[in-house]
Amino acid sequence: IGYCHLTLDVIELPDGTRYYQCAFINITDQVLAQRELTINQYSSVLLAIFDEVKEINFNSDTITLISANKSVNDDFEEIQHDVKKALRDWGERRVHPEDRQRYDEAIAILKKGRPRNGASSLPVTELRMLGADDKYFWISVSLIEVSDGVYLLCIMNIQERKDVIAFFSEKQE
């Protein structure tokens, strides 16, 4: 996928003859550099909040690991191609069976794109994910739209919060 800038000029001579001049300028490098700058601008802020940030790009059909404080997904390659397959495989292998419907619903919303109501992110989803130690733990997943077809997948380990809630719920009973 590339980007170009088109300039079209119409030159009209005194006798009424028109000449059309068209120029295409390849601006792919500038657009990609600006997009990377935008993502990098927010990555330090996002990492202060989230454990892992990935870019899902439906335009280039890739998922890229932007950065991670502590990986919550040890088997994730730095760049994966075929977004739909990667998301499906991740859901089948890592998401707790009781949470798969919620995961599938979030992915369906992501594939459709966000509603054009001015919101900059899609709903936050909490689900259990299989860790490297083969035990499930709770994560919160936020999807933030960067541009058309490009999202940041922000993952936060919320197991401690869930443990505290469970502890106080048991104490009240």
Side-chain angles (χ1 to χ4, degrees):
I1 293 178
Y3 301 90
C4 67
H5 178 79
L6 168 68
T7 304
L8 177 63
D9 289 322
V10 178
I11 302 168
E12 189 170 335
L13 299 179
D15 67 357
T17 306
R18 288 186 178 173
Y19 290 96
Y20 297 92
Q21 182 178 14
C22 181
F24 290 94
I25 301 169
N26 183 351
I27 60 167
T28 301
D29 291 340
Q30 293 94 327
V31 170
L32 294 177
Q34 180 60 41
R35 190 172 59 102
E36 186 174 335
L37 181 63
T38 301
I39 290 171
N40 289 338
Q41 178 181 357
Y42 298 108
S43 66
S44 61
V45 173
L46 292 172
L47 278 178
I49 301 167
F50 298 102
D51 296 312
E52 192 168 280
V53 179
K54 297 177 179 129
E55 178 195 66
I56 299 177
N57 188 326
F58 285 104
N59 302 321
S60 64
D61 200 26
T62 57
I63 301 176
T64 306
L65 179 64
I66 301 293
S67 50
N69 284 337
K70 53 183 177 184
S71 180
V72 294
N73 192 2
D74 294 334
D75 66 350
F76 191 86
E77 299 168 23
E78 196 162 317
I79 296 179
Q80 290 186 335
H81 298 277
D82 191 354
V83 170
K84 291 177 184 175
K85 181 182 181 311
L87 292 173
R88 184 183 63 245
D89 290 350
W90 190 81
E92 289 172 359
R93 285 181 303 131
R94 303 297 299 260
V95 175
H96 191 282
E98 293 175 11
D99 298 333
R100 271 207 200 114
Q101 182 179 351
R102 196 166 46 254
Y103 174 79
D104 291 340
E105 289 167 359
I107 296 304
I109 291 170
L110 174 64
K111 288 177 183 175
K112 281 192 254 179
R114 69 175 170 87
R116 300 292 176 204
N117 62 3
S120 61
S121 64
L122 297 167
V124 174
T125 302
E126 292 183 355
L127 48 90
R128 288 164 288 184
M129 185 180 88
L130 188 63
D133 59 357
D134 288 331
K135 294 180 183 174
Y136 286 99
F137 64 98
W138 282 96
I139 61 170
S140 174
V141 179
S142 301
L143 294 161
I144 302 168
E145 184 176 34
V146 175
S147 62
D148 255 357
V150 180
Y151 299 86
L152 293 181
L153 173 70
C154 304
I155 300 172
M156 180 188 325
N157 184 334
I158 59 169
Q159 184 61 51
E160 288 178 5
R161 184 181 82 193
K162 292 288 189 174
D163 291 344
V164 168
I165 291 170
F167 174 79
F168 283 110
S169 293
E170 288 175 10
K171 235 171 160 36
Q172 287 180 348
E173 292 175 357

